[in-house]
Amino acid sequence: MVEENKRGSFGSNIGFLLSAIGSAVGLGNIWGFPYKMGKSGGFTFLLVYLALAVFVGFAIMLGELALGRKTGYGPVNAYKAITQKKGFRWIGWLAIVAPFLIMTFYSVLGGYCIYYIAINLIGLCTGTMPDSSSFGAMLTNPWLSIGIMVLFMVICFLINLGGVDGGIEKFNKIGMPALFVMLVIIIVRAWTLPHASEGLKFMFVPGYAVKGGFIEEAPGVMSVLATAGGQMFFSLSLAMGAMITYGSYLDKGENLPKNSVIIVIADTIVAIMAGLAVIPAAVANGIAKGIPVGDIKLGGPSLLFATLQDVFHDMGAIGGIFGTIFYILVLIAAISSAISLIEAVSVTFIDRASAKGHETNRAKVLAIVCLVITVLACLVAADGLGSNGIAPKDIFHIDSKADWCADWLDFMDTWSEGIAMPLGAMLMSIMIGWQIKPKALYDEIGSGYKGKALGFWSFCIKFICPIVMFFVLLVQVSSFFGLGWF
Ligand code: PHE
């Protein structure tokens, strides 16, 4: 049983990189980034996003990886090991609660992907392609939604059970290149649809969202900044314990700054590529059907499971092939993120047991973590994005249009992405920048690295990150609770 007690590690740097990129590349890239980019200023948004990714994303990513590798622990124990200050030692728990809550809806969305692969395959075989009406039918069928969510959780559980190198790394080494190839296939198909260029203009031309009739009013500067900031740290899997955990599995000889840069760049490239695939297709199909562009749903779950399914439906029999490829691609993105979230939650209990000298049974911890997530996810699944009358606002008779009570998915998202993530990232940068001081991590960052990024990193983590994250926190609270501060 000695093997079971051993902490895992990545077998190679490329395995680590693909796993970290896998964690970053997720539903946030596919349905969040392209739409937010189009709506919030096209190319201008991209520049703002890149600046934030360089000054904040890179700095927090490097901080998390260094924290994990230096302490050799997941989030909770890493904070305990690095700081003596009581006020900071609890932050790690935020990085447990957040991924746990995210998993309660990520698993439901992952389940939807499995279902969509199935209906597209069936459509391919029978020649009758499903359309967007499948979405409503699925949402209003709680048992179906629960069943596919459980299936998704079982798949993730089995991958995590395989261990860090035998499960997570293996999956990502195959999954990430496959995702890339499939994305290219979908881009080529999307671009050859008539009117596809309207979608590209929406995404890239500054101000085209308003000019082209996609939205009525251009968002203000503050709102663009906040949208980019929120998207950036969710997309990069920051403040979720995931990168601390993966860092703790990384060999001491590997170059952390270089790895951080690669993860940030790869995640951004995939987000743009996802946009190049989904937006032109959705817009082209909408225009061909005579739908006013302002009414085409270009973001959120309905982009993936309604708008795009109509695109595949309208392609005829061949749509089954593209539909199947597309939903497999989204499923891979969802799984590679989910397994990092499950690992981030589980590692804490594995580490705690071994720190106390107890036998740690990875399988048992994973089973319990996955089971608890599954139980809570049943609520999100049965709710069907608020379709079945059990949303928080229905149960508690709340008369509000705010996101936090609209449905259980948004409720979980509010406390995780809306509050725990920005709060955690802000407190982490304050702790590294002002309490333990950046120098405390210099030796860690320096091992395997001889460049001059240390000064730049210290400056970002001390000054830029806390300010930006405080601002992102305010905006998230305002938007999730419908307070209209910005
Ligand atoms: N980065 C993932 C996405 O873009 C979500 C995620 C957040 C995954 C935090 C792990 C940790 O969808």
Side-chain angles (χ1 to χ4, degrees), residues 33 35 58 86 99 133 161 201 207 300 319 322 333 345 351 423 449:
F33 184 87
Y35 177 57
F58 164 76
K86 275 239 149 47
S133 61
L161 194 61
K201 283 192 214 153
F322 290 106
V345 180
D351 284 348
L423 185 65
Y449 170 73

Side-chain angles (χ1 to χ4, degrees), residues 23-29 102 106 234-238 240 242 267 337 340-341 421:
S23 170
V25 170
L27 299 172
N29 298 58
I102 293 233
Y106 226 81
F234 183 78
S235 186
L236 289 175
S237 301
L238 300 174
M240 278 291 204
D267 182 64
S337 295
S340 76
L341 291 163
M421 285 177 87

Side-chain angles (χ1 to χ4, degrees), residues 293-327:
V293 283
D295 292 341
I296 306 171
K297 290 256 178 309
L298 294 176
S302 26
L303 163 71
L304 284 187
F305 302 114
T307 316
L308 285 171
Q309 188 55 50
D310 269 340
V311 179
F312 300 126
H313 169 268
D314 293 352
M315 282 179 188
I318 189 106
I321 298 179
F322 290 106
T324 307
I325 294 180
F326 179 73
Y327 291 107

Side-chain angles (χ1 to χ4, degrees), residues 105-119:
F105 64 85
Y106 226 81
S107 55
V108 174
L109 299 167
Y112 293 172
C113 296
I114 297 178
Y115 179 68
Y116 269 70
I117 294 171
I119 61 173

Side-chain angles (χ1 to χ4, degrees), residues 16-52:
F16 158 78
L17 269 176
L18 289 172
S19 304
I21 293 170
S23 170
V25 170
L27 299 172
N29 298 58
I30 299 169
W31 80 30
F33 184 87
Y35 177 57
K36 289 178 189 171
M37 179 169 159
K39 216 176 65 167
S40 307
F43 197 68
T44 324
F45 175 88
L46 183 60
L47 294 181
V48 175
Y49 182 91
L50 288 177
L52 284 171

